[in-house]
């Protein structure tokens, strides 16, 4: 088959080189948006008097027919990419007039347009999935405002906190991710269509009209930049990496909490697997998979950054490498968010085990230090007194709540009976009412704010 660009050539490419250069195996994912872009371009050409009415009508009919039969086509590596495959199919349908569709357009601005359109659809779908996850987090948090659990730093028990407070920390991480994706849409909703190969065109096109038809908000003001920009892809890959990092952190905690040693959470059987050898096992495999796939998404970001780092203007074939990585990342992050949503929605938190854990540690030590401060003792001195009391407990095999008043007074005489209620972990949590704190009232206020954010959509 003769190449649509083959007029200057006297020899055919080798079969191996042809297969190596072809992108149809992955860029056929752009078929629907490619037809969408072609329809807008053709309409603009007609409205600018570049296409005759009959030519526009033939091209429009042919493109719409291809849209209705999109899943039925067989694409070939001979035509290299989705653009040439679709042009070949259009030519077979309506004849040589199909060749007029490419007036004032290059594959360089065509593929960039397709990628902008495809990414807009994906980012909107990902945003919806993240909002669904945030909604599930708020539902779980609402049930556990007064469920106390150990809070950790360095994976060592630090202070008792509300489980809802812990869960809502992830709500705000995903809220920032949603903000970043929304901002990314500003760069995605830019039209490169009509920039040509690199220098624009001599035809009297209206790039603003084609942008309007495609729903773009802006038009690239520089044709070189329009065809060579992939910042919006890199930006997305970076945001997707951050989303996966947040998911991976949450998954790591779920994996730890689901262990017999912690036993803080029970995952649904629908989001667990067993062992082929050990019949007692219930593994948090999907949390582990999401954690593992995070590295894959990071790799796509670093790979494409490396591809772009030394490219001169304008378009270079290297940029064909943008699609496989972004398609893989898009599939991976979207599925990960959706799977994680189901996993956390169906999970059961073991409230008694969580509370019991706070009764068997020294996470109330800060309460004792704060108590001493209220008695007029400087915090640094109070810190040392409590440290000595904790050491005594460790050596004696007991906890702060177990010490008698007479023992407490050996550390400082100001300690009285009123210290004991403050050592209760539930009271310790309830009293932390500062804005953004883990106190039950503060958490309810935070939960209301989270719900308000979701209602803005």
């Amino acid at each position: 088959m003769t190449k649509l660009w083959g007029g200057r050539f006297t020899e055919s490419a080798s079969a191996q080189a042809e297969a190596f250069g072809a992108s149809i195996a992955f860029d056929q994912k752009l078929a629907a948006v490619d037809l969408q872009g072609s329809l807008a371009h053709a309409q603009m050409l007609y409205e600018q008097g570049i296409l005759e009415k009959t030519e526009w009508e033939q091209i429009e009919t042919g493109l719409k027919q291809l849209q209705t039969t999109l899943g039925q086509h067989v694409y070939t590596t001979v035509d290299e990419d989705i653009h040439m495959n679709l042009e070949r199919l259009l030519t077979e349908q309506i004849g040589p007039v199909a060749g007029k569709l490419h007036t004032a357009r290059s594959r360089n601005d065509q593929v960039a347009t397709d990628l902008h359109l495809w990414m807009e659809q994906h980012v909107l779908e990902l945003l919806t999935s993240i909002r669904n996850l945030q909604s599930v987090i708020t539902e779980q948090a609402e049930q556990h405002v007064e469920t106390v659990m150990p809070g950790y730093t360095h994976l060592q028990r630090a202070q008792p906190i509300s489980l809802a407070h812990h869960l809502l920390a992830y709500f705000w991480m995903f809220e920032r991710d949603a903000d970043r994706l929304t901002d990314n849409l500003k760069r995605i909703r830019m039209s490169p269509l009509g920039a040509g190969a690199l220098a624009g065109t001599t035809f009297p096109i209206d790039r603003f009209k084609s942008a309007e038809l495609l729903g773009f908000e802006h038009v690239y003001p520089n044709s070189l930049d329009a065809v060579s920009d992939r910042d919006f892809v890199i930006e997305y890959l970076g945001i997707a990496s951050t989303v996966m990092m947040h998911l991976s952190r949450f998954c790591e905690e779920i994996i730890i909490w689901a262990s017999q040693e912690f036993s803080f959470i029970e995952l649904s059987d629908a989001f667990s697997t067993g062992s082929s050898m050990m019949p007692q096992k219930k593994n948090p495999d999907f949390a582990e998979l999401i954690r593992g796939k995070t590295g894959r998404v990071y790799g796509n970001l670093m790979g494409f950054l490396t591809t772009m780092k030394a490219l001169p203007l304008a378009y270079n074939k290297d940029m064909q490498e943008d699609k496989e990585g972004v398609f893989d990342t898009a599939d991976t992050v979207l599925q990960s968010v959706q799977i994680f949503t189901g996993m956390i929605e169906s999970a059961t938190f073991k409230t008694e085990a969580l509370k019991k854990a706070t009764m068997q540690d020294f996470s109330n030590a800060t309460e004792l230090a704060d108590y001493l401060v209220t008695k007029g003792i400087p915090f640094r001195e109070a810190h040392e007194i409590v440290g000595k009391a904790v050491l005594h407990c460790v050596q004696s095999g007991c906890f702060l709540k177990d010490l008698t008043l007479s023992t407490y007074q050996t550390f400082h005489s100001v300690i009285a009976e009123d210290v004991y209620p403050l050592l209760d972990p539930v009271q310790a949590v309830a009293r932390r009412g500062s804005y953004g704190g883990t106190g039950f009232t503060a958490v309810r206020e935070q939960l209301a704010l989270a719900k308000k954010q979701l209602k803005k959509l």
Side-chain angles (χ1 to χ4, degrees), residues 37-290:
S38 290
L39 277 165
H41 183 66
Q43 182 176 336
M44 181 275 295
L45 291 177
Y46 164 61
E47 292 183 7
Q48 292 299 109
I50 299 168
L51 287 180
E52 299 291 335
K53 184 178 182 182
T54 55
E55 294 170 335
W56 151 239
E57 288 173 346
Q58 283 181 272
I59 290 171
E60 180 187 34
T61 300
L63 289 171
K64 287 185 175 179
Q65 179 62 30
L66 287 176
Q67 284 180 323
T68 62
T69 58
L70 200 55
Q72 303 170 24
H73 305 304
V74 176
Y75 304 117
T76 70
T77 57
V78 174
D79 284 319
E80 301 173 18
D81 56 35
I82 191 59
H83 324 296
M84 304 302 279
N85 268 271
L86 289 175
E87 187 171 334
R88 178 82 67 182
L89 290 168
L90 184 63
T91 302
E92 290 172 0
Q93 274 196 331
I94 66 174
V97 71
K100 292 200 171 186
L101 174 60
H102 211 56
T103 305
R105 186 174 73 168
S106 163
R107 279 189 293 177
N108 294 359
D109 62 331
Q110 187 178 357
V111 68
T113 301
D114 289 359
L115 196 53
H116 278 270
L117 290 170
W118 185 89
M119 286 196 63
E120 179 184 29
Q121 293 176 2
H122 164 69
V123 167
L124 289 172
E125 186 178 7
L126 180 56
L127 273 168
T128 298
S129 294
I130 288 174
R131 293 309 190 190
N132 289 340
L133 171 55
Q134 288 180 289
S135 180
V136 165
I137 290 172
T138 61
E139 288 167 9
Q140 282 281 22
E142 194 159 32
Q143 297 176 48
H144 293 291
V145 172
E146 297 194 15
T147 298
V148 296
M149 65 172 291
Y152 294 84
T153 63
H154 308 279
L155 206 54
Q156 302 293 313
R157 292 186 187 179
Q159 292 178 274
I161 61 171
S162 157
L163 172 56
H165 191 56
H166 193 114
L167 295 173
L168 287 170
Y170 286 99
F171 176 95
W172 299 111
M173 293 183 205
F174 295 123
E175 181 66 17
R176 294 191 294 274
D177 292 334
D179 283 346
R180 281 184 277 264
L181 285 167
T182 301
D183 197 59
N184 186 210
L185 284 171
K186 296 177 187 176
R187 265 75 67 191
I188 291 173
R189 288 172 171 157
M190 293 185 69
S191 177
L193 191 56
L198 76 161
T201 177
T202 58
F203 291 94
I205 63 170
D206 184 349
R207 292 185 61 206
F208 293 93
K209 178 61 179 180
S210 57
E212 178 189 338
L213 292 169
L214 292 170
F216 287 125
E217 296 175 353
H218 308 284
V219 174
Y220 279 92
N222 183 295
S223 60
L224 284 168
D225 185 39
V227 297
S228 63
D229 172 39
R230 292 297 184 273
D231 293 1
F232 66 102
V233 175
I234 293 168
E235 183 180 359
Y236 165 76
L237 292 172
I239 296 167
S241 294
T242 305
V243 173
M244 291 300 293
M245 179 269 290
H246 289 152
L247 286 174
S248 185
R249 292 184 71 180
F250 209 161
C251 284
E252 174 74 4
E253 294 195 312
I254 286 173
I255 291 162
I256 292 170
W257 292 352
S259 68
Q260 191 170 342
E261 286 73 14
F262 277 74
S263 197
F264 288 173
I265 191 172
E266 179 76 24
L267 295 178
S268 164
D269 289 356
F271 293 94
S272 305
T273 65
S275 164
S276 62
M277 182 179 182
M278 297 166 285
Q280 83 280 10
K281 294 294 293 299
K282 182 177 180 180
N283 301 324
D285 275 11
F286 295 98
E288 292 172 355
L289 267 175
I290 293 169

Side-chain angles (χ1 to χ4, degrees), residues 336-357:
S336 295
V337 169
Q338 292 171 349
I339 290 292
F340 188 87
T341 300
M343 182 171 64
I344 200 70
E345 183 176 32
S346 59
T348 302
F349 290 95
K350 300 181 178 180
T351 56
E352 288 304 314
L354 287 162
K355 183 178 180 180
K356 183 179 179 182

Side-chain angles (χ1 to χ4, degrees), residues 334-445:
L334 186 62
Q335 290 181 54
S336 295
V337 169
Q338 292 171 349
I339 290 292
F340 188 87
T341 300
M343 182 171 64
I344 200 70
E345 183 176 32
S346 59
T348 302
F349 290 95
K350 300 181 178 180
T351 56
E352 288 304 314
L354 287 162
K355 183 178 180 180
K356 183 179 179 182
T358 65
M359 307 293 288
Q360 298 175 339
D361 61 20
F362 296 99
S363 60
N364 55 359
T366 304
E367 305 309 309
L368 180 55
D370 288 347
Y371 168 83
L372 291 171
V373 170
T374 66
K375 299 290 186 178
I377 298 172
F379 183 80
R380 285 300 167 205
E381 185 181 341
H383 187 286
E384 183 177 358
I385 292 167
V386 175
K388 290 177 178 177
V390 169
L391 178 62
H392 172 82
C393 289
V394 171
Q395 293 172 339
S396 304
C398 64
F399 298 104
L400 290 172
K401 63 182 176 58
D402 301 322
L403 295 180
T404 64
L405 182 58
S406 59
T407 303
Y408 264 126
Q409 290 182 337
T410 64
F411 298 108
H412 204 290
S413 60
V414 300
I415 301 176
E417 286 283 356
D418 60 351
V419 74
Y420 289 104
L422 303 181
L423 298 177
D424 175 57
V426 175
Q427 290 302 312
V429 175
R431 292 173 62 242
R432 290 192 135 63
S434 59
Y435 180 81
T438 193
F440 302 143
T441 300
V443 170
R444 287 192 178 94
E445 291 171 354

